[in-house]
Amino acid sequence: MKPEVVHERFARYLKNQDLDGLGSLFDEDAMFVPGPGQQPVYGREDIKEALKPYLASPSTMEVVATTVHQNGDLAMVQPSWRITSESGTVEGKAVEVMRRTNEGDWVYIIDNPYGV
């Protein structure tokens, strides 16, 4: 399984407005940067809270991993993404660090969706 599978799952969970699914993509102690000028959020439960605004209306997401650097069970990924909803379109270029779990899945350790 490749790290990019996390992007496919994120897009599916976002479309289905599945907050628990989104949360499952993050390590228990992960860090998430909600946006430019905002303080990082730590831990899966707090990250789920920070993701709630993205579920306010049905959305679709397109993600393309522009670079993936994998070293064993760690990966640094730089994707471009676009989320389209009734409110409009938001896009960015992320910087992410992922870890492969003992089960073979990948989870975010650091997710910085705006690359700031």
Side-chain angles (χ1 to χ4, degrees):
M1 186 176 305
K2 295 181 178 184
E4 299 92 331
V5 75
V6 173
H7 301 142
E8 295 167 14
R9 291 177 179 170
F10 197 103
R12 183 174 66 241
Y13 294 144
L14 183 69
K15 182 177 182 179
N16 294 333
Q17 296 177 291
D18 182 350
L19 186 59
D20 289 330
L22 288 172
S24 74
L25 301 176
F26 291 84
D27 184 79
E28 188 66 39
D29 299 315
M31 180 185 90
F32 174 72
V33 182
Q38 297 182 25
Q39 292 298 312
V41 176
Y42 296 89
R44 182 180 296 142
E45 292 306 312
D46 288 341
I47 291 170
K48 284 171 58 176
E49 286 298 314
L51 291 171
K52 278 185 178 180
Y54 290 96
L55 302 179
S57 64
S59 303
T60 58
M61 182 176 196
E62 302 167 53
V63 185
V64 176
T66 54
T67 61
V68 178
H69 300 285
Q70 187 175 337
N71 184 3
D73 291 336
L74 295 175
M76 182 178 69
V77 184
Q78 290 183 291
S80 296
W81 56 269
R82 175 182 295 140
I83 297 174
T84 305
S85 69
E86 296 168 350
S87 305
T89 300
V90 180
E91 56 190 343
K93 293 185 180 192
V95 176
E96 305 165 340
V97 176
M98 297 181 192
R99 180 181 60 80
R100 185 174 20 221
T101 68
N102 292 334
E103 294 79 26
D105 288 328
W106 288 87
V107 292
Y108 290 112
I109 299 296
I110 299 172
D111 183 11
N112 187 345
Y114 296 92
V116 294

